[in-house]
Amino acid sequence: MRLSKLLWSLTAVASIFSGRVSAQSSSEILELLEGIVDCATCQAALIPLQTLAHLGNDVFSDTFIGVCDLSGLEDADVCSGLFTLIGPIIAHDLREIDATSLTGSRLCDALFGFCASKTPQAFTVPLPTPAGPISPPSTPAVRNTPFTVVHISDVHIDRDYTVGSEANCTKNICCRNYADEAGEPIIDPAQPFGSPLCDAPVSLADSMLEAVAAFEAQFVIFTGDVQEGDICEVTTDLEDFNAELLSKITIPIFPAIGNHDSSPVNSFPRNTTDTTLDVQWVFDTQSAGWEQWIGSAASTQVDDISGSYAVSVPNTNLTILSLNTMYWYRQNLWLYDSDTFQPDPNGILSFMVEQLQAAEDAGRLVWILGHIPLGKPDIIEDQSNYYDQILQRYKDTIVGQFFGHSHKDQFEIAYSDYSDQTAANAVGVGLICPALTPTSGNPAFKVYDVDPDTFGIMNIRVIFGLLFDHMYYLQRIFTDPTFQTDPTWTVYYDARETYGTLVGLPADSELTPAFWHNLTEVFAANETAFQMFNTFLSRGGNVVACDDTDNCRNTTICDMRAFRSQNNCDLDEGLFNLRRRSADMSQRQESAECEGLGMRELLAEIQSKSRSKPAK
Ligand SMILES: *[C@@H]1O[C@H](CO)[C@@H](O)[C@H](O)[C@H]1NC(C)=O
Ligand SMILES: *[C@@H]1O[C@H](CO)[C@@H](O)[C@H](O)[C@H]1NC(C)=O
Ligand SMILES: *[C@@H]1O[C@H](CO)[C@@H](O)[C@H](O)[C@H]1NC(C)=O
Ligand SMILES: *[C@@H]1O[C@H](CO)[C@@H](O)[C@H](O)[C@H]1NC(C)=O
Ligand SMILES: *[C@@H]1O[C@H](CO)[C@@H](O)[C@H](O)[C@H]1NC(C)=O
Ligand SMILES: *[C@@H]1O[C@H](CO)[C@@H](O)[C@H](O)[C@H]1NC(C)=O
């Protein structure tokens, strides 16, 4: 039966040879997509899709726009916007690869959620020297006064945000005036300082940056994602935010590139790919925009090393190493255009090794900044594993790792032995900053107290704006509407006070990887403490229930103990899982923002919708 469906689809594709894309051909492709039920059927379906891709980018995109329209799941402008931009990348991939290859299976995973694997391809990262005995700077008998660093992330500013427009709309992104919605009654009007269903208005970003400036920090780190959750980015979005940072903040800012910082989002071709759609313009723009903070040598690196750079923090022994994590990102569809194993696209890992070796040689300590945390399922298991090899080698030099992307207040622990996850084996921790955009919780940022000798973290305060709580989702009521007239930013919680007491952290100790491991032990043993963490994830707004009924607590704790994506417990169960996720509005929003456009979810919904029709 599957075979006949496949043959039928091949006939359908052949019929497209006649020239114009017809509703007929789109419906045949829809049938083809319906036939995808597991990894094998997915890889088989790639073959007729390859035939379609060989007819050209326009035919390919137009056919998928037709499929999207037929599904009735998205407005026409959304379908057309999505596949006009993404279609050519998918078509390019399909033309370059063998559908039955590992790359083919990974394309299936990225597009449809099938063929997921947690087995990295074996590769030993070349390291210049074996680990030598290095002596980390000793902590003085009495610690010197900590200095302050502010961490902001995922601002997702929507420059077309329009106060009073519909916040709960049917587009990728709401709180905008849309031509095809003109005249419709507004049910949920966009608020002056942000709405939980929309990305951030400029007013909200400005308000946060003023709050950031009020902390007397040494510097600010920004882990990426400038633009809103739509699919197109223009150079001016990046430039506008650089200008806003400059106008509000007078201290150095060390940024990193996010997956939303290109156009279409997530689109970062490798430098081995021959394409006119390269994103050097992103690196050029940020090289120029960041130079005032990172200096000319690092800004040249941003240009030459695809957005990554290393810089010394003035008057310290601390080096900031900012890495573009997008060549490791599962939803960067450009990564599926070759069957040749490319362990280190664009040389980001070798740049990392080179900089860490230089820091070690000079007796300097390093903080790594990146957008996507390495343990998330959306980092490809290969590069996550290779990064971890580097971390194990330079664990005494890397004293901090900072990420964003998930929009949640999280952490991930690295172990010297992942099969023996103990406090003693914890060798690193990635601290993940919550987002400014209110779509996955109240807008927030983190303030670190940093030991000036070890550059270890003494404390974390999460600062938030109380935009909404669960009442918003129940009754569309803003519990504390004052934020919309006079936004204030206050301490949401203090990690040392809240978590330190639970773990029994001595007064003088840093929040080490071992501390974070012990905190996971507390969460495993103390349901109340875990629920507090779960509420903190989204800063009390849009809290998604997580208890033991579906093993959610175990999974969450497992994920905290996974700095390599091969170790997380987010088993990808294909479309069933995607559908389950997309059923929950809040989850859907997170995946749409983080995994890109919601295309994967859209394809999944198209399939589920058609499959739920009565059998013929
Ligand atoms: C958005 O609108 C839909 C359809 O009217 C409704 O079902 C849904 O509950 C609304 N969502 C929120 C968060 O208000
Ligand atoms: C850097 O480290 C060296 C050796 O530990 C120390 O002597 C020096 O004072 C440090 N420099 C700064 C600026 O802290
Ligand atoms: C791609 O980038 C790597 C690392 O920077 C570099 O070694 C290589 O020469 C580049 N390849 C091309 C084709 O530009
Ligand atoms: C973590 O827990 C272990 C075992 O209880 C303990 O020996 C260790 O001191 C703790 N470490 C930290 C940093 O809290
Ligand atoms: C569990 O955690 C809560 C805080 O969330 C704390 O008040 C309580 O004392 C903890 N229970 C135990 C047994 O440690
Ligand atoms: C969670 O994991 C622990 C072991 O880490 C196990 O003892 C427990 O049964 C698990 N809970 C559930 C609900 O599966």
Side-chain angles (χ1 to χ4, degrees), residues 77-100:
D77 56 341
V78 175
C79 288
S80 131
L82 180 59
F83 286 104
T84 302
L85 289 165
I86 303 298
I89 306 175
I90 303 173
H92 161 82
D93 289 341
L94 288 165
R95 286 190 295 265
E96 302 294 323
I97 62 168
D98 174 354
T100 62

Side-chain angles (χ1 to χ4, degrees), residues 200-362:
V202 173
S203 57
L204 180 64
D206 281 350
S207 169
M208 180 184 75
L209 293 179
E210 284 159 18
V212 167
F215 286 90
E216 290 185 351
Q218 292 295 302
F219 56 88
V220 173
I221 57 180
F222 168 48
T223 43
D225 272 8
V226 170
Q227 81 134 7
E228 87 294 334
D230 202 359
I231 44 186
C232 312
E233 167 105 23
V234 281
T235 320
T236 53
D237 282 332
L238 300 176
E239 287 170 349
D240 287 350
F241 187 59
N242 288 334
E244 268 146 21
L245 285 169
L246 192 63
S247 75
K248 300 282 182 193
I249 312 253
T250 54
I251 51 176
I253 299 167
F254 301 113
I257 302 254
N259 59 303
H260 274 262
D261 299 336
S262 73
S263 177
V265 299
N266 308 340
S267 168
F268 290 84
R270 288 178 291 214
N271 70 359
T272 46
T273 293
D274 183 17
T275 171
T276 54
L277 300 174
D278 82 281
V279 288
Q280 188 59 38
W281 65 271
V282 171
F283 310 136
D284 294 343
T285 305
Q286 299 303 48
S287 168
W290 297 349
E291 182 169 353
Q292 61 209 331
W293 303 305
I294 67 177
S296 67
S299 99
T300 302
Q301 289 170 342
V302 171
D303 239 343
D304 295 348
I305 320 285
S306 308
S308 301
Y309 66 89
V311 64
S312 302
V313 178
N315 309 317
T316 71
N317 283 326
L318 179 66
T319 294
I320 299 275
L321 176 56
S322 177
L323 301 173
N324 180 355
T325 53
M326 250 38 72
Y327 300 99
W328 314 333
Y329 183 32
R330 219 179 280 285
Q331 289 299 318
N332 175 5
L333 295 178
W334 288 105
L335 299 175
Y336 310 108
D337 74 345
S338 168
D339 290 322
T340 307
F341 178 45
Q342 299 181 47
D344 184 15
N346 291 31
I348 308 295
L349 293 168
S350 61
F351 176 72
M352 181 180 170
V353 170
E354 178 191 301
Q355 296 302 319
L356 288 166
Q357 185 63 48
E360 183 183 284
D361 291 345

Side-chain angles (χ1 to χ4, degrees), residues 426-463:
V427 293
V429 66
L431 300 176
I432 303 172
C433 188
L436 169 71
T437 180
T439 50
S440 0
N442 279 303
F445 59 92
K446 283 185 173 175
V447 176
Y448 302 115
D449 294 337
V450 182
D451 181 285
D453 296 294
T454 63
F455 304 106
I457 304 292
M458 299 300 297
N459 196 11
I460 305 173
R461 279 163 291 164
V462 172
I463 312 297

